[in-house]
Structure formats: C-alpha cells, structure tokens
Amino acid sequence: MRIDPERCQGHGRCYDLAPALFGEDDEGYGTVLGDGVVAEGAEHDARLAVANCPERAIDVLKEAR
C-alpha cells in the first residue's frame, strides 16, 4: 500500500480507522507505517481505510492471492 501525496488532503480517516497501518506526518497528512505490506489479519482494516478515503489517495499496489 501507499498514499499518493498529491491526492491526500489530510482528512485523517486512514490513521483513525487503521492506526496500526497508517500514521500522520507533521502537517496531518496520512503516511503508511513500515514498508506498506499489510500483515496477515490486518486486511480488513486496510480495506476499510481504502474505502473511507474521500480523495482515494490510498493505492493498493498488489494483492496477495
């Protein structure tokens, strides 16, 4: 996963809904924690954050099968 900084407007829904996956920078914009790989068991939180980003700034780069 990654957050496109050009689309992110700093609503904070990603880090409010999935604080284990997303954080915020000094200006309140979302950041992906770690290397962007979603750990097993955190898939629901990742999908929730993606679905709730009003700017569609969170990109899923590759889904495991």
Side-chain angles (χ1 to χ4, degrees):
M1 302 190 76
R2 74 176 199 95
I3 295 179
D4 182 338
E6 296 295 317
R7 290 185 281 167
C8 180
Q9 297 295 309
H11 294 284
R13 292 183 181 166
C14 57
Y15 50 82
D16 284 342
L17 294 170
L21 300 173
F22 301 96
E24 63 181 300
D25 68 10
D26 293 337
E27 296 176 357
Y29 293 97
T31 60
V32 176
L33 300 178
D35 60 6
V37 174
V38 177
E40 187 174 331
E43 298 92 347
H44 172 77
D45 289 346
R47 286 192 293 273
L48 187 63
V50 169
N52 281 278
C53 179
E55 308 301 334
R56 301 292 181 240
I58 304 170
D59 295 318
V60 177
L61 303 176
K62 180 180 173 185
E63 289 195 38
R65 296 190 184 246

